[in-house]
């Protein structure tokens, strides 16, 4: 090209992407061949190089080691679409090594929240989130959607509760089931949206009026497809098998009814699935963790078992529990109630004064709990703040004192090896008889809750270690190491505060994270760094491979201690019992090898569904509570910084958003690397972990949003 006919950057770029690198000519070429094909002269070479660099950065083309340029081939990925009220979305992929993929609104292709989709990567800029487009819908996930019905003379519209479903559903005349405006309804989609057309559906269930007691939580239950009532067949089977323990049931079991043991749970707990005992012989602690033998009543393949697999876990919502097993079992024969004979699977551990398990025994047992105690009672006894209580439980006080000593030893050992302890308070919502929130406060772990946690952790580790060395098919609880990029980013950030994370070959040992958390305790930046460290972690899950638990800094870990409320625990109890009875032969091992991967996957998925549902109900009640506090001022901590605003968490664990548009005293610029906003003129900053004062200005229960405004 001559200087008179200067290179047209746009046309050359277009030709590279769509003609040369597209379906027409696709052949990898060196730069000189490219120049000939594109008609680029030597004097225009710098501009061509610039175009090529931009396209490589965007992930559109790549260059081989031999210097040949070619288009990055489209590879499709299957994932779950997560919608956003603004029309765009993200695709989550099961593979933890693949970050969520951003889907612009014009590339959604009719996908709605939770649909399984096939997505193609269209941009992969270095150091930034990949961008994709939905190629096709693999599987629809939202045939039934909870909505608020809006009535019109000749038709109706249903507005989805979920803000992630950002389009109303058209309800033709005669398909409303006589719903009235303001009713909460379940709508079945009969025709999905195409282009600008709304989805079409019919009302299949009316949950009640929008202000009726309990309808708000029921809506979340339906939205997340949580099973409520048990099928009659399952209830009947639970009633039949849930009979009192007989002599025949106890035959052949290790009889521990003379052992002094207690349960320690919350005051309102009804499914007591673990009891503990402790004696000391010389310098050796003999710790017994006794777990309800649920498998004695839930046989593999039975109606009870099939229903438990479908549920995966019990779900603890703010106003109710949706149990994994019918209450005839979970609150009855499988609950380790005081003074009752109960069948158990016991892990008896001999632990020295350094916290090392020097020996152990796993056995089928029969037990009788002496006392049902609460965390509050045990805390008061250990702290000697209630003399009457100490006298009432005088026979058990020495054992409880020894338990506290052992728990401290176990915790110290865990911390020494580098286990990470994120001690964020959970939320406790107090409701009145009509389900209205009357108080919200943090639920703090105390000395008694930590004691039980320490004992369950060591039992889970002991069981997992034995079955790892037995090379038996098993379900493990694994937690993979964080992505090197996230840790590198965290390391760079904490360096600004004078802290250091030692990395070895781009990897981090959990001890480094724990050392960081210890070093920031009580400092102003503690909340900030704690949150960032937590966000850099991966999610724990169930697997058949024992790949280690990063957060606990151990190789072998499983869930053994809660078979009433978690299916993986129930499943491994079966494997353990078959091994104890000498029946874990090659045929049974093959059987478990075949079924366990599917159980691990479904249990992990159902656990996430339960956690999301629990968070949603808490968030709903938090916003409802704050709706009575509009105009009130609170002190809080900045818990999140995004380009559209600043999240602030109050002392009662409630979190709200200060929208960037409401920061009117200056023009604020978002610094993504530092997690902060800074004022262009004043230099004032708002950053993660900073203490601020806010006023509550809006609580939208329908949209589940809570708006704050900064005040000086």
């Amino acid at each position: 090209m001559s200087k008179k006919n200067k290179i047209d950057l746009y046309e050359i770029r277009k030709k590279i992407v769509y003609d040369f690198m597209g379906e027409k000519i696709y052949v990898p070429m060196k730069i000189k061949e490219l120049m000939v094909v594109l008609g680029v002269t030597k004097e225009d070479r710098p501009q061509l190089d610039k175009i090529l660099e931009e396209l490589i950065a965007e992930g559109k083309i790549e260059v081989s080691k031999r210097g040949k340029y070619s288009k990055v081939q489209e590879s499709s990925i299957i994932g779950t679409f997560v919608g956003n009220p603004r029309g765009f979305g993200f695709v989550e992929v099961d593979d933890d090594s693949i970050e969520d993929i951003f889907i612009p609104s014009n590339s959604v292709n009719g996908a709605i929240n939770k649909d399984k989709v096939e997505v193609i990567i269209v941009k992969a800029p270095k150091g930034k989130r990949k961008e994709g487009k939905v190629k096709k819908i693999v599987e629809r996930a939202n045939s039934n959607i909870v909505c608020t019905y809006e009535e019109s003379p000749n038709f109706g519209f249903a507005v989805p509760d979920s803000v992630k479903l950002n389009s109303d559903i058209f309800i033709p005349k005669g398909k409303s089931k006589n719903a009235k405006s303001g009713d909460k309804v379940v709508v079945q989609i009969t025709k999905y949206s195409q282009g600008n057309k709304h989805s079409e559906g019919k009302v299949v269930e009316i949950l009640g009026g929008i202000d009726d007691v309990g309808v708000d939580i029921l809506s979340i239950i339906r939205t997340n497809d949580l099973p409520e009532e048990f099928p009659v067949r399952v209830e009947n089977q639970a009633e039949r098998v849930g009979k009192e323990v007989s002599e025949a049931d106890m035959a052949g079991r290790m009889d521990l009814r003379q052992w002094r043991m207690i349960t320690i749970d919350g005051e309102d707990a009804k499914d007591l699935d673990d009891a503990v005992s402790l004696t000391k012989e010389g310098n050796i602690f003999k710790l017994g963790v006794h777990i309800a033998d649920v498998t004695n009543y839930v046989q593999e393949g039975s109606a009870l078992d099939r229903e438990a697999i479908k549920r995966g876990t019990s779900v603890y919502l703010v106003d109710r529990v949706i149990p994994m097993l019918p209450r005839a079992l979970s609150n009855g024969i499988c609950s380790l109630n005081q003074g009752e004979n109960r069948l158990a699977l016991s892990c008896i551990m001999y632990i020295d004064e350094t916290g090392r398990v020097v020996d152990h025994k796993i056995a089928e047992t029969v037990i009788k709990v002496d006392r049902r105690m609460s965390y509050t009672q045990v805390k008061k006894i250990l702290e000697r703040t209630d003399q009457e209580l100490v006298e009432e439980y005088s026979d058990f006080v020495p054992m409880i004192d020894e338990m506290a000593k052992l728990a401290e030893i176990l915790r110290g050992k865990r911390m020494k090896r580098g286990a990470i302890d994120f001690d964020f308070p959970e939320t406790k919502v107090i409701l009145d008889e009509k389900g209205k929130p009357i108080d919200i406060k943090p639920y703090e772990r105390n000395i008694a809750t930590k004691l039980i946690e320490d004992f369950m952790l060591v039992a889970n580790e002991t069981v997992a270690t034995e079955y790892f060395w037995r090379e038996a098919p098993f379900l493990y609880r694994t937690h993979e190491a964080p992505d090197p990029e996230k840790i590198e980013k965290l390391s760079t950030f904490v360096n600004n505060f004078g802290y250091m994370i030692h990395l070895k070959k781009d990897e981090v040992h959990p001890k480094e994270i724990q050392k960081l958390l210890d070093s920031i305790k009580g400092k102003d930046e503690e909340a900030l760094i704690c949150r960032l460290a937590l966000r850099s972690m991966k999610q724990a899950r169930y697997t058949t491979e024992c790949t280690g638990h990063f957060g606990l800094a151990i190789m072998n870990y499983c869930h053994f201690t809660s078979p009433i409320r978690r299916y993986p625990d129930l499943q491994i109890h079966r494997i353990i019992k078959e091994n104890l009875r000498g029946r874990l032969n090659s045929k049974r091992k093959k059987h478990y090898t075949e079924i366990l991967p599917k159980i691990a996957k479904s249990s992990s998925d159902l656990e996430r569904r339960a956690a999301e549902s629990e968070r949603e109900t808490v968030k709903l009640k938090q916003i409802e509570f704050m709706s009575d506090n509009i105009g009130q001022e609170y002190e809080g901590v900045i818990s999140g910084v995004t380009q559209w605003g600043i999240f602030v968490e109050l002392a009662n664990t409630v979190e709200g958003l200060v929208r960037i548009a409401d920061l009117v005293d200056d023009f604020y610029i978002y610094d993504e690397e530092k997690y902060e906003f800074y004022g262009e003129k004043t230099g004032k900053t708002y950053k993660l972990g900073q203490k601020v004062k806010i006023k509550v200005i809006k609580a939208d229960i329908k949209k589940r949003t809570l708006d704050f405004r900064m005040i000086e």
Side-chain angles (χ1 to χ4, degrees):
M1 287 184 184
S2 66
K3 289 187 178 179
K4 289 181 181 178
N5 189 20
K6 193 69 178 171
I7 184 171
D8 186 324
L9 295 177
Y10 175 76
E11 286 299 322
I12 290 294
R13 179 187 173 95
K14 186 177 173 184
K15 197 168 186 180
I16 292 172
V17 176
Y18 296 107
D19 289 354
F20 165 65
M21 297 296 177
E23 295 178 0
K24 292 184 180 178
I25 313 176
Y26 178 74
V27 178
M29 289 186 182
K30 289 194 173 184
I31 189 70
K32 287 183 180 179
E33 297 170 297
L34 253 180
M35 290 171 67
V36 172
V37 171
L38 298 171
V40 174
T41 63
K42 286 183 180 179
E43 66 181 28
D44 294 320
R45 169 74 184 271
Q47 289 173 291
L48 176 61
D49 288 341
K50 186 179 179 182
I51 294 170
L52 292 172
E53 286 173 10
E54 288 174 354
L55 292 172
I56 290 170
E58 291 171 15
K60 285 189 169 66
I61 67 171
E62 58 190 358
V63 60
S64 69
K65 289 181 180 178
R66 295 183 179 182
K68 288 193 174 186
Y69 291 87
S70 58
K71 184 181 178 183
V72 173
Q73 292 299 291
E74 290 185 341
S75 58
S76 59
I77 298 170
I78 304 296
T80 303
F81 182 77
V82 179
N84 185 281
R86 301 179 187 182
F88 61 83
F90 296 89
V91 170
E92 295 178 344
V93 184
D94 284 341
D95 186 347
D96 285 342
S97 65
I98 301 176
E99 194 177 13
D100 297 351
I101 302 159
F102 174 68
I103 311 294
S105 55
N106 61 356
S107 300
V108 168
N109 197 17
I112 56 179
N113 192 52
K114 294 185 181 177
D115 283 349
K116 184 179 281 188
V117 297
E118 183 179 345
V119 64
I120 292 170
I121 306 297
V122 295
K123 285 184 183 177
K126 191 175 181 181
K128 293 188 177 180
R129 191 187 295 274
K130 290 183 176 68
E131 185 177 309
K133 64 179 179 182
V134 174
K135 184 178 179 182
K136 68 177 181 180
I137 315 295
V138 176
E139 185 181 332
R140 289 287 187 181
N142 299 277
S143 57
N144 289 351
I145 297 174
V146 177
C147 305
T148 303
Y149 185 74
E150 299 294 338
E151 193 175 13
S152 292
N154 298 315
F155 59 88
F157 272 100
V159 183
D161 273 15
S162 174
V163 294
K164 293 176 181 177
L165 302 171
N166 63 348
S167 179
D168 300 346
I169 302 164
F170 175 71
I171 308 295
K173 190 174 182 180
K175 301 291 184 181
S176 68
K177 217 176 172 78
N178 297 320
K180 302 288 186 291
S181 286
D183 280 351
K184 283 288 183 187
V185 297
V186 179
V187 172
Q188 183 181 89
I189 295 182
T190 54
K191 192 184 294 182
Y192 286 92
S193 63
Q194 288 184 334
N196 295 323
K197 283 189 175 182
H198 287 275
S199 294
E200 193 173 304
K202 62 180 181 180
V203 175
V204 293
E205 184 182 2
I206 299 173
L207 302 178
I210 196 167
D211 295 320
D212 291 354
V213 174
V215 167
D216 52 355
I217 303 298
L218 185 58
S219 297
I220 291 173
I221 289 170
R222 290 287 192 276
T223 296
N224 292 320
D225 199 25
L226 295 174
E228 276 192 289
E229 302 302 320
F230 286 93
V232 174
R233 184 181 176 190
V234 174
E235 290 278 16
N236 290 342
Q237 191 173 85
E239 293 289 345
R240 284 199 307 273
V241 302
K243 295 174 182 176
E244 286 306 306
V245 177
S246 66
E247 289 297 324
D249 292 329
M250 295 187 283
R253 287 176 174 263
M254 188 175 173
D255 193 342
L256 306 182
R257 285 176 290 178
Q258 300 307 310
W259 286 26
R260 180 167 288 172
M261 64 179 68
I262 57 176
T263 58
I264 308 175
D265 294 275
E267 280 84 354
D268 52 357
K270 294 181 176 65
D271 52 348
L272 316 178
D273 53 6
D274 57 85
V276 288
S277 62
L278 185 71
T279 56
K280 195 173 183 188
E281 300 165 5
N283 61 352
I284 299 293
F285 295 94
K286 184 180 177 182
L287 172 66
V289 173
H290 314 280
I291 309 300
D293 187 359
V294 181
T295 60
N296 191 75
Y297 306 98
V298 182
Q299 302 297 316
E300 185 177 9
S302 65
L304 276 166
D305 186 49
R306 292 195 302 273
E307 185 67 20
I309 291 174
K310 278 169 55 180
R311 293 175 177 240
T313 179
S314 295
V315 187
Y316 296 85
L317 306 179
V318 289
D319 68 338
R320 71 195 78 183
V321 177
I322 300 177
M324 185 180 79
L325 297 171
R327 286 179 172 81
L329 294 181
S330 61
N331 296 0
I333 195 64
C334 293
S335 185
L336 305 182
N337 299 330
Q338 178 179 317
E340 302 286 341
N341 289 337
R342 288 292 184 262
L343 305 183
L345 198 57
S346 298
C347 180
I348 302 158
M349 294 157 282
Y350 298 85
I351 305 171
D352 67 19
E353 291 182 325
T354 69
R356 186 169 65 96
V357 179
V358 295
D359 197 6
H360 76 277
K361 179 182 179 68
I362 302 171
E364 292 181 77
T365 59
V366 55
I367 65 172
K368 184 185 285 187
V369 171
D370 294 286
R371 290 287 186 277
R372 185 254 196 263
M373 301 189 71
S374 70
Y375 294 124
T376 304
Q377 288 174 323
V378 172
K379 178 178 181 288
K380 287 179 178 178
I381 288 172
L382 289 171
E383 294 175 349
R384 299 297 196 268
T385 55
D386 187 330
Q387 197 53 41
E388 285 186 17
L389 200 63
V390 172
E391 290 173 9
E392 181 184 347
Y393 290 95
S394 58
D395 289 347
F396 297 87
V397 169
M399 181 177 74
I400 293 170
D401 285 343
E402 286 297 316
M403 284 181 171
K405 289 177 187 174
L406 175 58
E408 191 175 345
I409 291 169
L410 292 171
R411 199 173 315 125
K413 182 173 185 283
R414 205 166 62 246
M415 293 300 107
K416 191 175 179 181
R417 75 184 180 215
I420 305 168
D421 187 16
F422 290 107
D423 199 6
F424 288 111
E426 295 181 17
T427 303
K428 188 169 182 64
V429 181
I430 313 297
L431 304 175
D432 65 15
E433 65 279 358
K434 292 184 178 179
K436 184 176 174 60
I438 54 177
D439 195 15
I440 292 176
K441 54 188 178 182
Y443 180 81
E444 301 283 355
R445 292 158 65 204
N446 62 36
I447 190 171
T449 57
K450 289 179 181 178
L451 181 152
I452 288 298
E453 185 180 289
D454 294 327
F455 290 174
M456 298 305 118
L457 286 170
V458 73
N460 287 335
E461 182 185 357
T462 300
V463 171
T465 301
E466 175 174 334
Y467 280 81
F468 171 76
W469 289 111
R470 285 186 180 277
E471 298 184 345
F474 212 63
L475 273 179
Y476 296 96
R477 181 69 168 176
T478 58
H479 183 218
E480 293 164 337
D483 290 326
E485 279 186 24
K486 289 187 177 181
I487 289 297
E488 184 67 47
K489 197 172 180 182
L490 177 66
S491 177
T492 302
F493 184 80
V494 300
N495 280 344
N496 296 326
F497 293 89
Y499 303 108
M500 186 176 288
I501 300 175
H502 293 284
L503 303 177
K504 192 174 182 180
K505 295 181 180 178
D506 291 331
E507 292 183 358
V508 64
H509 189 279
K511 196 166 190 175
E512 287 298 312
I513 305 296
Q514 187 57 51
K515 277 164 62 180
L516 173 67
L517 298 182
D518 287 341
S519 63
I520 61 176
K521 276 185 180 171
K523 306 282 180 66
D524 289 344
E525 60 270 18
E526 180 179 7
L528 159 66
I529 294 175
C530 267
R531 289 180 189 281
L532 289 180
L534 181 61
R535 289 174 193 175
S536 70
M537 299 291 112
K538 290 186 178 179
Q539 280 187 309
R541 59 196 176 103
Y542 297 105
T543 61
T544 55
E545 297 295 319
C546 187
T547 55
H549 196 294
F550 180 84
L552 293 172
I554 49 176
M555 271 309 298
N556 308 313
Y557 194 68
C558 70
H559 275 169
F560 163 78
T561 53
S562 292
I564 286 179
R565 62 183 181 90
R566 291 189 305 227
Y567 193 79
D569 306 51
L570 177 62
Q571 182 61 69
I572 68 169
H573 275 222
R574 287 200 185 106
I575 296 170
I576 292 167
K577 285 176 66 175
E578 284 197 49
N579 179 64
L580 291 174
R581 296 175 180 184
R583 296 175 186 170
L584 195 59
N585 53 33
S586 58
K587 183 179 178 181
R588 294 302 293 163
K589 285 182 178 179
K590 183 183 178 186
H591 166 70
Y592 285 122
T593 301
E594 289 171 352
I595 69 168
L596 289 181
K598 187 177 179 182
I599 289 171
K601 174 72 169 61
S602 68
S603 296
S604 297
D605 292 343
L606 292 169
E607 176 188 42
R608 289 192 182 112
R609 179 183 72 172
E612 187 177 324
S613 302
E614 290 162 9
R615 280 194 300 270
E616 279 187 57
T617 58
V618 168
K619 179 74 173 175
L620 176 71
K621 293 301 177 183
Q622 285 178 329
I623 294 169
E624 187 180 345
F625 178 76
M626 296 304 287
S627 67
D628 292 331
N629 293 276
I630 303 298
Q632 294 293 315
E633 297 179 359
Y634 296 89
E635 287 188 345
V637 174
I638 294 177
S639 55
V641 179
T642 67
Q643 59 189 12
W644 58 83
I646 299 164
F647 289 94
V648 177
E649 185 177 302
L650 310 183
N652 62 2
T653 74
V654 172
E655 187 179 64
L657 176 68
V658 177
R659 299 180 189 277
I660 191 64
D662 291 332
L663 293 174
V664 294
D665 62 325
D666 199 349
F667 179 75
Y668 284 88
I669 298 166
Y670 175 52
D671 189 330
E672 188 178 1
E673 295 296 319
K674 294 183 178 178
Y675 301 94
E676 71 177 31
F677 278 101
Y678 63 90
E680 192 175 46
K681 295 177 182 176
T682 62
K684 185 195 290 185
T685 59
Y686 291 109
K687 56 187 177 182
L688 208 59
Q690 183 178 331
K691 293 176 182 177
V692 292
K693 198 170 184 182
I694 60 91
K695 178 186 283 189
V696 183
I697 59 170
K698 186 179 179 183
D700 191 325
I701 296 173
K702 187 177 178 181
K703 292 183 179 178
R704 313 270 168 86
T705 57
L706 184 60
D707 289 353
F708 295 158
R709 184 168 288 153
M710 293 288 187
I711 57 176
E712 293 300 327

